[in-house]
Amino acid sequence: MKPFLTANWSYLAMLNFAIDPDLLTPFVPAGTELDFHEGRTFCSVVGFLFLNTMLLGLPIPFHRDFEEVNLRFYVRQKSPTGWRRGVVFIRELVPRRAIAITARIFYGEPYLALPMRSEIVHRDGIVAVEYGWQHGKKWEALRLAATGDPQTSAQGSHEEFITEHYWGFTARGARTSQYQVEHPRWKIWRAETWKLEADIATLYGERFVKPLVREPVSAFIADGSFITVLRRTQELEEL
């Protein structure tokens, strides 16, 4: 299958929170179910860089390099070949309107275009990332910092659970769009400091305020890699 999109995803800042599954149930797409790890469900605020982006094999001028910040949670779907583990997005922020419109049209994803900025420091054994977005008249941000070398996640670990989901599922009423994302296994730095500055209620909804103001279960930075997003496949129907 010819890729819809290719890019390099770099310096993925991942802030991960335990959340009551009942809060997520209204957002679970038809044909999927919540994915649990050690009896808990999670949502994540994730910021990263899109670099060298190609759409249908072609570069789009002024739209190759940009930031994204999203809020996502984790689901799975039974297929003839086994479980497909994927993510569902509550909100995805990007800096350019054309990107948001394209994603909404082709994948039904909840993209919003806002002014954005980023700062990456990686030198002398220090990795510090900041992704910012202008929400109304105020700049908000996700910040993580770590030291040392990135490590491979252990099999069955929480870090593996968060990073190793390779499908995207999007609710379309009683139907569900699905698409596959291919990338190699990432290495991570465990963050030593982190901060989320955001008006959570207006950005994500009131139900996410309490989970996202608590202490996160984990905070880490993934190194990233080249990724391939395949074309949207068949739709699932509500049983």
Side-chain angles (χ1 to χ4, degrees):
M1 183 181 296
K2 185 177 180 180
F4 177 77
L5 179 147
T6 61
N8 286 297
W9 286 357
S10 297
Y11 295 105
L12 294 96
M14 297 182 158
L15 201 57
N16 310 298
F17 301 86
I19 185 170
D20 184 337
D22 290 340
L23 296 178
L24 297 175
T25 298
F27 301 97
V28 176
T32 71
E33 62 185 56
L34 287 171
D35 201 359
F36 289 76
H37 184 256
E38 296 183 346
R40 293 192 292 180
T41 52
F42 297 90
C43 63
S44 302
V45 181
V46 180
F48 61 101
L49 295 177
F50 262 94
L51 301 175
N52 302 315
T53 305
M54 305 275 281
L55 191 66
L56 298 174
L58 299 173
I60 308 300
F62 309 110
H63 292 76
R64 297 198 68 189
D65 300 338
F66 55 91
E67 301 89 354
E68 176 175 319
V69 173
N70 63 60
L71 175 63
R72 70 187 200 180
F73 67 95
Y74 305 91
V75 299
R76 63 180 188 170
Q77 179 251 328
K78 191 67 175 291
S79 76
T81 57
W83 287 106
R84 292 175 173 174
R85 300 174 65 197
V87 301
V88 177
F89 295 101
I90 300 297
R91 172 66 71 198
E92 296 169 88
L93 307 179
V94 289
R96 297 188 183 278
R97 186 172 299 175
I99 298 168
I101 292 172
T102 300
R104 288 198 296 264
I105 290 174
F106 286 96
Y107 286 90
E109 293 287 15
Y111 271 80
L112 176 65
L114 294 176
M116 298 184 72
R117 62 191 182 192
S118 59
E119 183 176 1
I120 310 296
V121 175
H122 187 183
R123 63 175 181 266
D124 301 326
I126 297 173
V127 181
V129 300
E130 177 178 340
Y131 296 100
W133 57 95
Q134 189 175 11
H135 189 203
K137 295 183 179 180
K138 183 179 179 181
W139 278 93
E140 302 177 342
L142 171 66
R143 302 184 184 93
L144 279 75
T147 59
D149 297 320
Q151 305 295 321
T152 300
S153 302
Q155 292 286 341
S157 67
H158 167 78
E159 291 82 5
E160 180 191 56
F161 174 83
I162 295 295
T163 57
E164 303 299 305
H165 280 75
Y166 293 96
W167 288 82
F169 296 98
T170 307
R172 291 174 178 256
R175 303 178 72 86
T176 298
S177 295
Q178 57 180 328
Y179 57 91
Q180 189 173 8
V181 181
E182 296 178 342
H183 65 78
R185 193 179 182 92
W186 294 329
K187 293 184 177 182
I188 66 165
W189 292 270
R190 289 182 176 83
E192 297 167 3
T193 62
W194 56 83
K195 192 167 189 179
L196 174 63
E197 296 179 341
D199 183 344
I200 296 168
T202 57
L203 191 61
Y204 301 129
E206 289 285 350
R207 73 179 62 217
F208 292 101
V209 173
K210 287 185 178 179
L212 298 184
V213 298
R214 295 178 185 142
E215 189 79 0
V217 172
S218 65
F220 52 82
I221 303 166
D223 56 0
S225 67
F226 179 80
I227 65 96
T228 299
V229 178
L230 301 182
R231 291 174 181 267
R232 179 167 57 88
T233 58
Q234 79 275 9
E235 295 185 336
L236 307 171
E237 292 191 30
E238 191 167 15
L239 300 178

